[in-house]
Short mmCIF file of all heavy atoms in Angstrom, two decimals:
data_model
loop_
_atom_site.label_atom_id
_atom_site.label_comp_id
_atom_site.label_asym_id
_atom_site.label_seq_id
_atom_site.Cartn_x
_atom_site.Cartn_y
_atom_site.Cartn_z
N SER A 1 11.85 -20.26 -18.47
CA SER A 1 13.07 -19.40 -18.75
C SER A 1 12.64 -18.11 -19.15
O SER A 1 12.94 -17.55 -20.23
CB SER A 1 13.89 -20.12 -19.83
OG SER A 1 14.29 -21.38 -19.51
N SER A 2 11.91 -17.38 -18.26
CA SER A 2 11.37 -16.07 -18.64
C SER A 2 11.61 -15.01 -17.51
O SER A 2 12.05 -15.39 -16.40
CB SER A 2 9.88 -16.17 -18.88
OG SER A 2 9.27 -16.59 -17.66
N THR A 3 11.53 -13.77 -17.86
CA THR A 3 11.49 -12.64 -16.97
C THR A 3 10.24 -11.87 -17.08
O THR A 3 9.83 -11.38 -18.11
CB THR A 3 12.72 -11.64 -17.35
OG1 THR A 3 13.97 -12.46 -17.19
CG2 THR A 3 12.79 -10.61 -16.28
N THR A 4 9.49 -11.86 -15.95
CA THR A 4 8.10 -11.36 -15.90
C THR A 4 8.09 -10.10 -15.03
O THR A 4 8.67 -10.18 -13.89
CB THR A 4 7.06 -12.35 -15.49
OG1 THR A 4 7.15 -13.53 -16.31
CG2 THR A 4 5.66 -11.78 -15.54
N GLU A 5 7.46 -9.06 -15.45
CA GLU A 5 7.34 -7.82 -14.61
C GLU A 5 5.81 -7.42 -14.51
O GLU A 5 5.12 -7.34 -15.53
CB GLU A 5 8.13 -6.65 -15.26
CG GLU A 5 8.11 -5.38 -14.45
CD GLU A 5 8.79 -4.22 -15.03
OE1 GLU A 5 9.19 -4.32 -16.24
OE2 GLU A 5 8.97 -3.21 -14.34
N ILE A 6 5.57 -7.17 -13.25
CA ILE A 6 4.17 -6.73 -12.89
C ILE A 6 4.24 -5.39 -12.36
O ILE A 6 5.05 -5.10 -11.44
CB ILE A 6 3.43 -7.74 -11.84
CG1 ILE A 6 3.48 -9.13 -12.43
CG2 ILE A 6 2.00 -7.30 -11.64
CD1 ILE A 6 3.02 -10.16 -11.36
N THR A 7 3.38 -4.40 -12.81
CA THR A 7 3.48 -3.02 -12.40
C THR A 7 2.01 -2.57 -12.09
O THR A 7 0.99 -3.00 -12.66
CB THR A 7 4.01 -2.09 -13.41
OG1 THR A 7 3.24 -2.21 -14.64
CG2 THR A 7 5.47 -2.47 -13.70
N PHE A 8 1.93 -1.76 -10.92
CA PHE A 8 0.71 -1.12 -10.58
C PHE A 8 0.97 0.29 -10.25
O PHE A 8 2.02 0.68 -9.77
CB PHE A 8 0.14 -1.76 -9.21
CG PHE A 8 -0.19 -3.26 -9.36
CD1 PHE A 8 0.79 -4.14 -9.06
CD2 PHE A 8 -1.50 -3.68 -9.74
CE1 PHE A 8 0.38 -5.58 -9.08
CE2 PHE A 8 -1.79 -4.93 -9.79
CZ PHE A 8 -0.79 -5.96 -9.49
N ASP A 9 0.01 1.17 -10.62
CA ASP A 9 0.10 2.68 -10.27
C ASP A 9 -0.47 2.67 -8.79
O ASP A 9 -1.42 2.14 -8.43
CB ASP A 9 -0.68 3.41 -11.25
CG ASP A 9 0.03 3.58 -12.58
OD1 ASP A 9 1.11 3.22 -12.70
OD2 ASP A 9 -0.70 4.00 -13.51
N VAL A 10 0.23 3.50 -7.95
CA VAL A 10 -0.22 3.73 -6.60
C VAL A 10 -0.24 5.20 -6.30
O VAL A 10 0.52 6.01 -6.97
CB VAL A 10 0.81 3.03 -5.67
CG1 VAL A 10 0.77 1.56 -5.86
CG2 VAL A 10 2.16 3.55 -5.78
N THR A 11 -1.09 5.66 -5.40
CA THR A 11 -1.07 7.00 -4.86
C THR A 11 -0.71 6.93 -3.45
O THR A 11 -1.08 5.95 -2.71
CB THR A 11 -2.44 7.66 -5.14
OG1 THR A 11 -3.47 6.82 -4.51
CG2 THR A 11 -2.62 7.81 -6.58
N LYS A 12 -0.14 8.05 -2.86
CA LYS A 12 0.19 8.11 -1.54
C LYS A 12 -0.73 9.11 -0.82
O LYS A 12 -0.84 10.24 -1.22
CB LYS A 12 1.70 8.53 -1.33
CG LYS A 12 2.63 7.62 -2.17
CD LYS A 12 4.06 8.15 -2.22
CE LYS A 12 4.92 7.36 -3.15
NZ LYS A 12 6.36 7.95 -3.21
N ALA A 13 -1.27 8.71 0.36
CA ALA A 13 -2.10 9.63 1.06
C ALA A 13 -1.38 10.66 1.87
O ALA A 13 -0.26 10.46 2.21
CB ALA A 13 -3.10 8.80 1.90
N PHE A 14 -2.14 11.65 2.28
CA PHE A 14 -1.52 12.70 3.16
C PHE A 14 -2.17 12.40 4.53
O PHE A 14 -3.29 12.45 4.78
CB PHE A 14 -1.96 14.11 2.63
CG PHE A 14 -1.34 15.15 3.48
CD1 PHE A 14 -0.04 15.58 3.08
CD2 PHE A 14 -1.99 15.79 4.51
CE1 PHE A 14 0.58 16.64 3.73
CE2 PHE A 14 -1.36 16.78 5.21
CZ PHE A 14 -0.14 17.18 4.78
N LEU A 15 -1.26 11.98 5.40
CA LEU A 15 -1.68 11.59 6.81
C LEU A 15 -1.90 12.87 7.70
O LEU A 15 -1.35 13.91 7.44
CB LEU A 15 -0.50 10.81 7.41
CG LEU A 15 -0.07 9.52 6.73
CD1 LEU A 15 0.99 8.77 7.57
CD2 LEU A 15 -1.22 8.56 6.54
N ARG A 16 -2.79 12.64 8.66
CA ARG A 16 -2.91 13.63 9.70
C ARG A 16 -1.66 13.72 10.54
O ARG A 16 -0.86 12.77 10.69
CB ARG A 16 -4.19 13.26 10.58
CG ARG A 16 -5.35 13.01 9.83
CD ARG A 16 -6.52 12.64 10.75
NE ARG A 16 -7.79 12.34 10.05
CZ ARG A 16 -8.62 11.19 10.25
NH1 ARG A 16 -8.14 10.39 11.16
NH2 ARG A 16 -9.69 11.06 9.52
N TYR A 17 -1.42 14.77 11.17
CA TYR A 17 -0.16 14.97 11.92
C TYR A 17 -0.13 14.10 13.10
O TYR A 17 0.86 13.70 13.64
CB TYR A 17 -0.02 16.43 12.30
CG TYR A 17 -0.85 16.80 13.57
CD1 TYR A 17 -0.26 16.86 14.77
CD2 TYR A 17 -2.16 17.26 13.45
CE1 TYR A 17 -0.99 17.18 15.95
CE2 TYR A 17 -2.84 17.57 14.60
CZ TYR A 17 -2.31 17.58 15.80
OH TYR A 17 -3.01 17.93 16.91
N THR A 18 -1.30 13.58 13.58
CA THR A 18 -1.35 12.71 14.73
C THR A 18 -1.05 11.18 14.30
O THR A 18 -0.93 10.30 15.11
CB THR A 18 -2.73 12.67 15.50
OG1 THR A 18 -3.76 12.48 14.50
CG2 THR A 18 -2.83 14.18 16.07
N GLU A 19 -1.13 10.92 13.00
CA GLU A 19 -0.86 9.59 12.48
C GLU A 19 0.55 9.32 12.16
O GLU A 19 0.77 8.16 11.74
CB GLU A 19 -1.82 9.36 11.27
CG GLU A 19 -3.29 9.36 11.59
CD GLU A 19 -4.10 9.23 10.35
OE1 GLU A 19 -3.69 9.60 9.23
OE2 GLU A 19 -5.37 8.86 10.47
N HIS A 20 1.37 10.29 12.19
CA HIS A 20 2.78 10.06 11.80
C HIS A 20 3.55 9.32 12.88
O HIS A 20 3.23 9.46 14.10
CB HIS A 20 3.46 11.37 11.48
CG HIS A 20 3.15 11.94 10.14
ND1 HIS A 20 3.73 11.52 8.98
CD2 HIS A 20 2.15 12.73 9.78
CE1 HIS A 20 3.29 12.19 7.89
NE2 HIS A 20 2.26 12.90 8.38
N LEU A 21 4.54 8.56 12.55
CA LEU A 21 5.39 7.92 13.54
C LEU A 21 6.30 8.87 14.12
O LEU A 21 6.54 10.02 13.62
CB LEU A 21 6.25 6.80 12.78
CG LEU A 21 5.48 5.65 12.13
CD1 LEU A 21 6.34 4.79 11.41
CD2 LEU A 21 4.68 4.85 13.17
N PRO A 22 6.97 8.54 15.27
CA PRO A 22 7.98 9.46 15.96
C PRO A 22 9.04 9.87 15.03
O PRO A 22 9.49 10.95 15.06
CB PRO A 22 8.36 8.73 17.18
CG PRO A 22 7.25 7.77 17.49
CD PRO A 22 6.68 7.42 16.07
N ASP A 23 9.49 8.85 14.18
CA ASP A 23 10.63 9.20 13.18
C ASP A 23 10.01 9.35 11.82
O ASP A 23 10.22 8.72 10.90
CB ASP A 23 11.70 8.03 13.18
CG ASP A 23 11.01 6.67 12.97
OD1 ASP A 23 9.78 6.63 13.00
OD2 ASP A 23 11.72 5.78 12.68
N ALA A 24 9.11 10.43 11.72
CA ALA A 24 8.34 10.65 10.49
C ALA A 24 9.21 10.91 9.28
O ALA A 24 8.90 10.51 8.20
CB ALA A 24 7.38 11.75 10.66
N GLN A 25 10.42 11.47 9.49
CA GLN A 25 11.18 11.87 8.35
C GLN A 25 11.80 10.58 7.70
O GLN A 25 12.32 10.64 6.59
CB GLN A 25 12.30 12.89 8.78
CG GLN A 25 11.83 14.03 9.43
CD GLN A 25 10.98 14.93 8.42
OE1 GLN A 25 11.19 14.85 7.21
NE2 GLN A 25 10.13 15.80 8.93
N ARG A 26 11.88 9.49 8.42
CA ARG A 26 12.48 8.32 7.82
C ARG A 26 11.56 7.57 6.78
O ARG A 26 12.04 7.14 5.75
CB ARG A 26 12.72 7.24 8.95
CG ARG A 26 13.26 5.92 8.54
CD ARG A 26 13.31 4.90 9.69
NE ARG A 26 13.72 3.58 9.22
CZ ARG A 26 12.85 2.72 8.78
NH1 ARG A 26 11.57 2.95 8.82
NH2 ARG A 26 13.22 1.50 8.34
N GLY A 27 10.30 7.76 6.88
CA GLY A 27 9.38 7.11 6.03
C GLY A 27 8.65 5.92 6.68
O GLY A 27 8.82 5.69 7.84
N TRP A 28 7.83 5.20 5.81
CA TRP A 28 7.06 4.08 6.29
C TRP A 28 7.50 2.80 5.65
O TRP A 28 7.88 2.78 4.34
CB TRP A 28 5.57 4.35 6.01
CG TRP A 28 4.95 5.33 6.86
CD1 TRP A 28 5.05 6.64 6.73
CD2 TRP A 28 4.09 5.13 7.97
NE1 TRP A 28 4.35 7.36 7.67
CE2 TRP A 28 3.69 6.49 8.49
CE3 TRP A 28 3.51 4.04 8.59
CZ2 TRP A 28 2.85 6.59 9.50
CZ3 TRP A 28 2.60 4.27 9.65
CH2 TRP A 28 2.28 5.54 10.06
N ASP A 29 7.62 1.73 6.35
CA ASP A 29 8.00 0.43 5.75
C ASP A 29 6.68 -0.39 5.24
O ASP A 29 5.71 -0.39 6.08
CB ASP A 29 8.65 -0.46 6.86
CG ASP A 29 9.98 0.01 7.29
OD1 ASP A 29 10.85 0.12 6.42
OD2 ASP A 29 10.19 0.37 8.44
N LEU A 30 6.84 -0.82 4.09
CA LEU A 30 5.71 -1.57 3.48
C LEU A 30 5.99 -3.08 3.68
O LEU A 30 7.10 -3.58 3.58
CB LEU A 30 5.58 -1.29 1.92
CG LEU A 30 5.32 0.09 1.61
CD1 LEU A 30 5.13 0.23 0.10
CD2 LEU A 30 4.01 0.60 2.37
N PRO A 31 4.96 -3.91 4.05
CA PRO A 31 5.11 -5.29 4.21
C PRO A 31 5.67 -5.95 2.90
O PRO A 31 5.44 -5.53 1.77
CB PRO A 31 3.69 -5.81 4.59
CG PRO A 31 3.02 -4.60 4.97
CD PRO A 31 3.58 -3.44 4.15
#
C-alpha cells in the first residue's frame, strides 16, 4: 500500500543535422 517514485537526471545530446528525422520539429519517441 505504497507510492514509490524513482528519478534519474538525464542530459540530451545535440544531434548532427544528418541524424534528425524528417519531422525533426516533432521530437523523438522514447521506448
Side-chain angles (χ1 to χ4, degrees):
S1 303
S2 63
T3 300
T4 305
E5 181 180 11
I6 307 174
T7 58
F8 299 92
D9 289 345
V10 298
T11 58
K12 307 172 187 179
F14 189 83
L15 302 180
R16 305 177 184 133
Y17 80 97
T18 56
E19 295 174 338
H20 284 275
L21 297 174
D23 54 347
Q25 302 297 336
R26 176 185 174 273
W28 291 74
D29 293 299
L30 299 183

